[in-house]
């Protein structure tokens, strides 16, 4: 018969979510580093959301254009190939633009300016996993904004499926945030060779298809 595990006696560990570790005891409204009109914020969020659908439409556009205007199908095909294949470099300025999400979603957090100093003193690589993934993971854009703003020394790279990195518009936004393939080779290279932290939403496609509206995952659900 197994004996239940007993907690070792001694002093208790300090809670990690304290001001000493860079966390506020209450939620704080996120504040962008710049002022922007509400219309611009909504337009940017709409673009990021629509990017998940614009890619497939752009790839299918040559076929659609062919039936309407055959002579323009070649130009549509060349445009689709260019947008799907040309190299895109990471651009941290895009992360600052993602601060526009704060206003639209009334975003709150419990970070303090001290959190970056605590993370830097830790001097270790981290894997930041966020749950749930959801169908359109807009919180990935919010994380890139808050991490770039309050945890600049922790900002690393993200990972997603290869299919997403081949879709026009969506691949541009993702690679601006330094999102890469989820292959083992890419992840190991990013963490070991580039010495960068990893940000990932581990649920992925499996979580999307196994989830139910207005339902919470049970204690035995694994993603």
């Amino acid at each position: 018969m197994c004996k239940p595990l007993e907690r070792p006696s001694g002093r208790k560990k300090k809670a990690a979510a304290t001001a000493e570790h860079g966390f506020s005891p209450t939620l704080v409204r996120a504040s962008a580093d710049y002022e922007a009109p509400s219309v611009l914020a909504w337009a940017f969020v709409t673009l990021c959301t629509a990017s998940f659908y614009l890619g497939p439409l752009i790839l299918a556009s040559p076929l659609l254009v062919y039936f309407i205007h055959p002579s323009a199908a070649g130009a549509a095909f060349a445009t689709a190939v260019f947008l799907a294949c040309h190299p895109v470099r990471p651009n941290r300025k895009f992360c600052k633009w993602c601060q526009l999400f704060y206003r639209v979603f009334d975003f709150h957090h419990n970070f303090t300016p001290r959190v970056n100093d605590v993370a830097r003193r830790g001097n270790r690589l981290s894997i930041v996993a966020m749950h749930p993934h959801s169908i359109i993971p807009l919180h990935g854009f919010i994380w890139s904004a808050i991490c770039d703003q309050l945890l600049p020394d922790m900002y690393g790279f993200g990972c997603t499926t290869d299919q997403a990195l081949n879709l026009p518009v969506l691949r541009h936004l993702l690679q601006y945030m330094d999102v890469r393939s989820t292959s083992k080779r890419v992840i190991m290279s990013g963490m070991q060779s580039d010495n960068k932290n990893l940000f990932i939403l581990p649920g992925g496609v499996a979580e999307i298809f196994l989830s139910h509206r207005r339902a919470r995952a049970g204690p035995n659900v694994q993603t």
Side-chain angles (χ1 to χ4, degrees):
M1 184 176 179
C2 296
K3 186 179 180 180
L5 183 64
E6 297 180 357
R7 290 186 177 181
S9 59
R11 61 180 184 178
K12 297 180 180 179
K13 291 184 177 180
K14 293 182 178 180
T18 62
E20 180 183 353
H21 293 85
F23 296 97
S24 169
T26 58
L27 290 178
V28 180
R29 184 188 299 272
S31 177
D33 294 334
Y34 51 86
E35 292 291 335
S38 180
V39 174
L40 178 60
W42 276 101
F44 181 77
V45 171
T46 301
L47 171 64
C48 292
T49 306
S51 66
F52 289 82
Y53 305 100
L54 289 175
L57 289 176
I58 292 175
L59 293 180
S61 63
L63 183 62
L64 300 176
V65 172
Y66 178 78
F67 289 103
I68 301 173
H69 200 292
S71 59
F77 177 78
T79 302
V81 171
F82 174 77
L83 292 176
C85 299
H86 84 95
V88 181
R89 294 183 179 181
N91 188 345
R92 290 285 289 272
K93 290 183 179 180
F94 179 78
C95 299
K96 296 188 181 302
W97 298 346
C98 288
Q99 293 178 21
L100 292 171
F101 275 83
Y102 298 168
R103 182 168 185 173
V104 174
F105 289 94
D106 192 23
F107 180 64
H108 289 65
H109 61 82
N110 67 332
F111 292 145
T112 69
R114 180 184 174 85
V115 71
N116 187 61
D117 296 331
V118 175
R120 186 170 58 246
R121 288 201 305 267
N123 193 28
R124 62 179 182 272
L125 289 176
S126 301
I127 297 178
V128 181
M130 182 177 290
H131 175 83
H133 182 285
S134 73
I135 296 177
I136 301 180
L138 295 179
H139 45 294
F141 294 102
I142 298 176
W143 166 252
S144 70
I146 203 70
C147 187
D148 175 76
Q149 183 184 30
L150 298 180
L151 288 160
D153 293 323
M154 190 177 179
Y155 197 96
F157 69 102
C159 281
T160 188
T161 60
D162 292 334
Q163 290 82 353
L165 294 175
N166 291 323
L167 293 176
V169 183
L170 177 60
R171 66 184 292 267
H172 293 77
L173 304 186
L174 293 176
Q175 293 185 45
Y176 286 153
M177 297 183 293
D178 200 0
V179 175
R180 310 174 188 180
S181 169
T182 50
S183 67
K184 181 179 179 181
R185 177 185 59 83
V186 172
I187 293 176
M188 296 299 288
S189 174
M191 297 194 72
Q192 295 184 349
S193 300
D194 299 342
N195 197 36
K196 289 186 174 182
N197 298 307
L198 169 65
F199 166 67
I200 191 169
L201 285 73
V205 177
E207 177 193 305
I208 293 173
F209 281 94
L210 292 175
S211 62
H212 299 276
R213 293 185 62 190
R214 302 184 183 89
R216 295 187 178 184
N220 297 323
V221 175
Q222 296 182 354
T223 56

